[in-house]
């Protein structure tokens, strides 16, 4: 850090000196190993400089030396809260590249899993946001109670709690049993009651309103120009959801609405997430009704899953994108006809959503910077990759 | 992992007899270690994916408070042990050594997950440290990717067993001249300098990785880009 030397002559005694504060990387509220250099005038923020790279794990470089199938477990570790959504995006990209068909039942299973991860992610993010607001750990206990129930499903289906590695090109790894579907139905039925409980404690809470309303306002034109996606964009009132725009997989079969905020402050970002969870529950109910017995993976793709080095997509490029709970998660692949991707790039929503951090924080108090960061919802594994 | 039993000088028969009359006798060692192991304060910081499982362990279902380790301290100066939960990159490693140096004695380190132990799945990365035990001594290694919360609790119990096996007369943090402060590595042009701390860790003579897997299959970067005149997919929307 540069130390500014201020001589006595050129300061007015009434002027205040700016103070440079270093947040993180070891700080409980930076959501991992993120670091911010904040310049403060009194308690007001003058500038914010994010410092990244403390969790740069060379995801892309490692993936370019692996076979296509072997990259799948690495995508779990990008955004470790919602591994299924990461799998989804990567599977879509490779399926576009190699033109693989996905059977009907697999599509339904994929949508169910992706929406369940959205519930996990949003509920945990709201818990951590409240954590940052000073309600230390109590909301997280509620949130993780629900998270554990969904993780039990993931464990029963894929064999792992967090790092599911469940999607395959042309389907999913194994079938979902009727007992598991019944379990998912039970969770989905009870989830609105939990949301009501959560909202009764939080939504009209005066402290929450005072702290969150009119803090970190993101105007819609700035949000669009900075290519912000996900709940952060929709809280600013821009109607853009990849599930509606791109209609990947079978999302056009479900009727659901896109919740939009009108101001774009921290409170809107919180409330959009709550509403999005309610819409996810709607999608889940429809998907659980519509799912029929059938193949869970395309019969052709089982052959190259056994011999992953024989899987050589044709020369070309593909971009697969999904609406991950954080925003647009895109995978760009360039194939040169060998078993390894020639170029592999991840468009991570955490990194791109973070670019407006300074615009949101300047002018607010230092305590607000933490909740603004919490409301953007970054995950360092995806941010630094 | 086996630790030497802390041999109590008191006969077990006498102990049992007195216990029936409501009298409990213990050596100073037992009392001292009981106190230490029953209120271990971990340091609150997460590095990567394993941190989420660490939080889940602290939450209601697994409840690390049953083992006396629920009070996560954000400051290293108040912490008893450090859970290194996640991938240690070369950018983060010097900071971890500094955090370790700031912790008061007695201090313990628990590495959680394959990345912190050896680099794990990211071992081939240019920015990933192949195990934090190159710079600081580690008490408990906890494999898994990520380890389940039960595994973390098991690791904590192992750490408690280690604490139980230590003796107050011989413990090193009351000895004169002990200073468990390790030099902080610096950023160099090709990774960290030094590459490891020889006081703590030395490289193996034979390379196990090569022995077990042979040469890693790395094709290296191809210099020539593929010719993309036939665009397979039109840009969507």
């Amino acid at each position: 850090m540069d130390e500014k030397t201020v001589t006595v002559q050129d300061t007015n005694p009434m002027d205040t000196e700016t103070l440079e504060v270093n947040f993180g990387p070891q700080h409980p509220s930076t959501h991992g190993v993120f670091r911010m250099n904040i310049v403060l005038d009194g308690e007001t923020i003058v500038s914010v400089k994010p410092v990244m790279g403390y969790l740069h794990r060379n995801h892309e470089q490692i993936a370019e030396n692996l076979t296509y199938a072997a990259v799948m477990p690495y995508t779990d570790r990008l955004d470790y809260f919602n591994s299924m959504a990461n799998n989804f995006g990567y599977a879509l990209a490779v399926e576009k590249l190699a033109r693989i068909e996905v059977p009907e039942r697999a599509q339904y299973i994929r949508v169910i899993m992706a929406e369940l991860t959205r519930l996990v992610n949003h509920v945990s993010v709201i818990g951590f946001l409240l954590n940052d607001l000073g309600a230390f750990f109590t909301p997280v206990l509620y949130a993780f109670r629900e998270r554990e129930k969904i993780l039990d499903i993931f464990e029963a289906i894929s064999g792992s709690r967090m790092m599911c590695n469940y999607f395959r090109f042309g389907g999913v790894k194994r079938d979902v049993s009727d007992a598991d579907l019944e379990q998912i139905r039970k969770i989905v039925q009870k989830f609105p009651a939990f949301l009501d409980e959560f909202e009764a404690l939080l939504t009209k809470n005066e402290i929450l309103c005072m702290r969150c309303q009119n803090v970190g306002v993101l105007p819609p034109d700035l949000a669009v120009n900075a290519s912000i996606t996900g709940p952060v964009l929709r809280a600013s009132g821009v109607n853009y959801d990849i599930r509606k725009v791109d209609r990947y997989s079978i999302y056009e079969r479900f009727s659901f609405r896109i919740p939009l905020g009108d101001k774009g402050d921290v409170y809107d970002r919180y409330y959009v997430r709550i509403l999005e969870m309610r819409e996810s529950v709607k999608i889940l109910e429809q998907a659980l009704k519509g799912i029929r017995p059938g193949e869970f993976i395309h019969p052709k793709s089982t052959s190259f899953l056994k011999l992953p080095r024989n899987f050589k997509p044709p020369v070309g490029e593909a971009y697969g994108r999904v609406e991950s709970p954080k925003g647009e998660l895109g995978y760009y692949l360039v194939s040169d006809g060998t078993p390894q991707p020639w170029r592999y790039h991840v468009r991570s929503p955490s990194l791109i959503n973070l670019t407006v951090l300074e615009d949101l924080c300047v002018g607010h108090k230092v305590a607000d910077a933490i909740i603004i960061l919490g409301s953007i919802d970054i995950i360092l594994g995806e941010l630094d990759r | 992992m086996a630790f030497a039993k802390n041999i109590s000088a008191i006969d077990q028969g006498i102990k049992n007899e007195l216990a029936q009359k409501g009298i409990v006798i213990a050596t100073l060692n037992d009392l001292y270690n009981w106190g230490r192991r029953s209120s271990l304060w971990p340091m609150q910081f997460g590095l990567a994916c394993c941190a989420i499982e660490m939080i889940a362990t602290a939450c209601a279902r697994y409840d690390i408070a049953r083992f006396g380790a629920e009070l996560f301290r954000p400051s290293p100066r108040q912490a008893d042990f450090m859970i290194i939960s996640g991938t240690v990159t070369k950018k983060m490693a010097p900071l971890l050594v500094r955090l370790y140096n700031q912790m008061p004695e007695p201090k313990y380190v628990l590495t959680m997950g394959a990345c912190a132990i050896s680099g794990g799945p990211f071992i081939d990365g240019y920015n990933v440290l192949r195990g934090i035990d190159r710079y600081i001594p580690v008490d408990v290694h906890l494999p898994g990717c990520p380890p389940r919360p039960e595994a973390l609790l098991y690791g904590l119990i192992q750490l408690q067993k280690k604490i139980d096996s230590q003796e107050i007369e011989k413990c090193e943090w009351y000895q004169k001249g002990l200073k468990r402060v390790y030099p902080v590595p610096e950023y160099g042009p090709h990774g960290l300098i030094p590459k490891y701390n020889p006081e703590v860790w030395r490289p193996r003579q034979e390379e196990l990785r090569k022995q077990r897997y042979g040469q890693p299959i790395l094709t290296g970067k191809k210099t020539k880009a593929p010719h993309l005149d036939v665009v397979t997919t039109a840009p969507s929307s």
Side-chain angles (χ1 to χ4, degrees):
Chain A
M1 227 185 299
D2 299 330
E3 281 181 30
K4 278 181 191 169
T5 49
V6 181
T7 50
V8 185
Q9 285 84 11
D10 56 10
T11 52
N12 188 337
M14 295 302 286
D15 277 356
T16 50
E17 255 178 65
T18 56
L19 180 72
E20 208 167 318
V21 178
N22 179 43
F23 260 115
Q26 185 260 325
H27 189 278
S29 288
T30 51
H31 295 242
V33 282
F34 177 63
R35 183 172 144 207
M36 288 189 283
N37 281 345
I38 301 185
V39 180
L40 292 173
D41 179 15
E43 269 204 41
T44 313
I45 296 166
V46 178
S47 83
V48 178
K49 203 178 100 199
V51 184
M52 296 163 222
Y54 287 100
L55 195 56
H56 177 51
R57 296 193 280 197
N58 332 116
H59 178 74
E60 289 168 9
Q61 192 254 357
I62 290 174
E64 281 163 13
N65 285 322
L66 292 173
T67 56
Y68 284 88
V71 182
M72 190 63 90
Y74 284 89
T75 60
D76 286 333
R77 284 146 184 93
L78 272 179
D79 180 355
Y80 31 82
F81 258 113
N82 37 4
S83 57
M84 294 277 200
N86 300 341
N87 287 179
F88 202 170
Y90 180 65
L92 277 183
V94 177
E95 281 155 15
K96 254 189 194 177
L97 191 66
R99 300 194 196 89
I100 303 171
E101 298 275 313
V102 184
E104 170 106 356
R105 186 177 170 84
Q107 298 272 26
Y108 272 99
I109 295 174
R110 283 179 172 196
V111 168
I112 290 170
M113 292 305 142
E115 294 306 316
L116 281 176
T117 42
R118 197 180 310 279
L119 295 182
V120 170
N121 181 72
H122 282 355
V123 86
S124 315
V125 162
I126 292 170
F128 286 125
L129 175 65
L130 267 290
N131 219 348
D132 295 344
L133 277 164
F136 191 69
F137 239 82
T138 313
V140 178
L141 291 180
Y142 281 83
F144 270 63
R145 187 189 65 193
E146 296 306 310
R147 180 177 176 264
E148 291 289 344
K149 287 179 195 165
I150 298 175
L151 289 199
D152 280 350
I153 298 284
F154 288 170
E155 195 179 359
I157 290 168
S158 73
S160 176
R161 277 161 55 85
M162 277 174 68
M163 305 304 173
C164 300
N165 185 17
Y166 182 53
F167 287 42
R168 294 288 180 274
F169 315 135
V172 291
K173 189 171 150 198
R174 60 172 82 91
D175 203 359
V176 182
S177 69
D178 289 341
D180 290 333
L181 283 177
E182 200 48 50
Q183 193 66 31
I184 297 172
R185 260 184 213 114
K186 268 186 204 162
I187 288 171
V188 171
Q189 264 175 16
K190 286 181 188 164
F191 206 81
F194 158 72
L195 279 180
D196 292 340
E197 181 195 15
F198 215 45
E199 273 204 84
L201 292 169
L202 300 176
T203 300
K204 287 183 182 164
N205 187 318
E206 200 177 332
I207 303 172
L208 186 94
C209 293
M210 296 261 287
R211 281 293 304 278
C212 293
Q213 283 174 349
N214 295 320
V215 169
V217 177
L218 177 66
D221 51 339
L222 174 66
V224 172
N225 288 343
S227 67
I228 308 293
T229 45
V232 184
L233 175 72
R234 291 193 287 275
S236 299
V238 183
N239 188 356
Y240 183 77
D241 189 314
I242 313 263
R243 286 174 295 173
K244 287 277 186 193
V245 175
D246 201 7
R247 294 180 169 258
Y248 59 93
S249 192
I250 49 164
Y251 272 106
E252 76 272 4
R253 296 189 195 177
F254 307 118
S255 76
F256 61 101
R257 292 178 300 167
I258 305 297
L260 297 176
D262 43 38
K263 244 185 214 160
D265 52 3
V266 174
Y267 187 81
D268 277 357
R269 268 168 245 151
Y270 151 75
Y271 200 56
V272 160
R273 289 200 173 100
I274 291 266
L275 294 176
E276 234 172 62
M277 277 193 273
R278 292 191 187 277
E279 295 302 318
S280 281
V281 169
K282 268 189 211 168
I283 298 176
L284 277 168
E285 280 167 354
Q286 291 169 40
L288 287 168
K289 237 178 241 168
I291 188 165
R292 296 277 174 274
E295 281 171 344
F296 60 94
I297 189 161
H298 199 275
K300 271 186 191 167
S301 55
T302 42
S303 62
F304 63 72
L305 285 177
K306 282 180 187 146
L307 296 164
R309 293 197 81 80
N310 283 1
F311 177 60
K312 293 170 188 166
V315 178
E317 55 182 344
Y319 180 69
R321 57 179 183 169
V322 288
E323 178 73 26
S324 110
K326 311 243 167 6
E328 176 182 341
L329 176 68
Y331 292 86
Y332 176 64
L333 284 164
V334 179
S335 163
D336 57 352
T338 55
Q340 285 109 351
W342 190 81
R343 177 79 176 99
Y344 169 75
H345 176 72
V346 184
R347 185 233 189 255
S348 67
S350 299
L351 174 67
I352 294 166
N353 289 0
L354 195 71
T355 50
V356 287
L357 182 69
E358 186 161 15
D359 300 276
L360 298 184
C361 286
V362 168
H364 287 295
K365 300 279 183 276
V366 63
D368 295 334
I370 288 167
I371 60 168
I372 290 169
L373 182 72
S375 74
I376 292 176
D377 183 14
I378 56 163
I379 284 284
L380 264 291
E382 192 184 55
L383 200 151
D384 289 334
R385 297 197 290 280
Chain B
M1 209 189 304
F3 299 111
K5 187 89 182 78
N6 197 350
I7 302 150
S8 175
I10 305 162
D11 182 41
Q12 196 61 35
I14 300 170
K15 242 183 177 177
N16 292 344
E17 205 180 320
L18 284 170
Q20 282 169 4
K21 290 171 186 166
I23 301 165
V24 177
I25 53 170
T27 55
L28 183 61
N29 256 332
D30 287 345
L31 206 63
Y32 175 71
N33 287 335
W34 170 76
R36 285 196 311 133
R37 77 164 146 79
S38 306
S39 72
L40 278 170
W41 287 6
M43 201 161 93
Q44 183 186 21
F45 81 114
L47 288 177
C49 334
C50 293
I52 310 299
E53 286 296 66
M54 191 175 75
I55 296 167
T57 317
C59 282
R61 191 192 235 180
Y62 297 100
D63 198 11
I64 203 168
R66 293 177 294 158
F67 303 91
E70 82 278 21
L71 207 56
F72 283 81
R73 306 307 298 177
S75 163
R77 308 209 184 264
Q78 301 165 345
D80 290 321
F81 78 111
M82 192 186 206
I83 302 176
I84 298 176
S85 53
T87 318
V88 185
T89 58
K90 286 178 183 168
K91 192 167 179 178
M92 194 63 201
L95 307 171
L96 272 177
V97 179
R98 268 175 68 186
L99 287 172
Y100 179 81
N101 289 344
Q102 287 171 11
M103 277 165 63
E105 290 285 350
K107 52 190 171 185
Y108 303 94
V109 177
L110 191 153
T111 54
M112 187 178 177
C115 295
I117 295 171
S118 70
F122 297 97
I123 191 166
D124 288 331
Y126 51 84
N127 192 30
V128 177
L129 188 72
R130 295 182 178 183
I132 187 63
D133 55 350
R134 293 177 181 224
Y135 292 108
I136 54 176
V138 177
D139 295 289
V140 180
H141 285 293
L142 197 59
C145 188
R148 293 178 60 85
E150 290 97 329
L152 179 57
L153 293 178
Y154 178 76
L156 183 67
I157 292 167
Q158 293 302 312
L159 184 63
Q160 287 177 336
K161 275 187 189 162
K162 176 167 187 175
I163 291 171
D164 261 345
S165 73
Q166 290 174 324
E167 290 177 47
I168 190 165
E169 303 93 13
K170 291 180 189 167
C171 58
E172 43 200 350
W173 54 90
Y174 288 136
Q175 311 285 330
K176 264 186 188 166
L178 174 86
K179 221 177 175 190
R180 278 202 286 185
V181 172
Y182 293 100
V184 179
E186 287 170 13
Y187 301 128
H190 305 290
L192 293 169
I193 300 171
K195 288 202 163 170
Y196 54 87
N197 186 355
E199 281 177 66
V200 183
W201 188 87
R202 273 176 195 285
R204 281 178 168 276
Q205 291 302 312
E206 76 279 17
E207 221 181 289
L208 276 184
R209 194 174 150 76
K210 217 177 255 179
Q211 240 176 45
R212 206 165 287 162
Y213 303 110
Q215 285 292 339
I217 316 157
L218 294 178
T219 54
K221 204 66 212 153
K222 291 158 206 134
T223 44
K224 207 175 161 195
H227 187 53
L228 293 174
D229 53 348
V230 188
V231 179
T232 50
T233 47
S236 51
S237 76

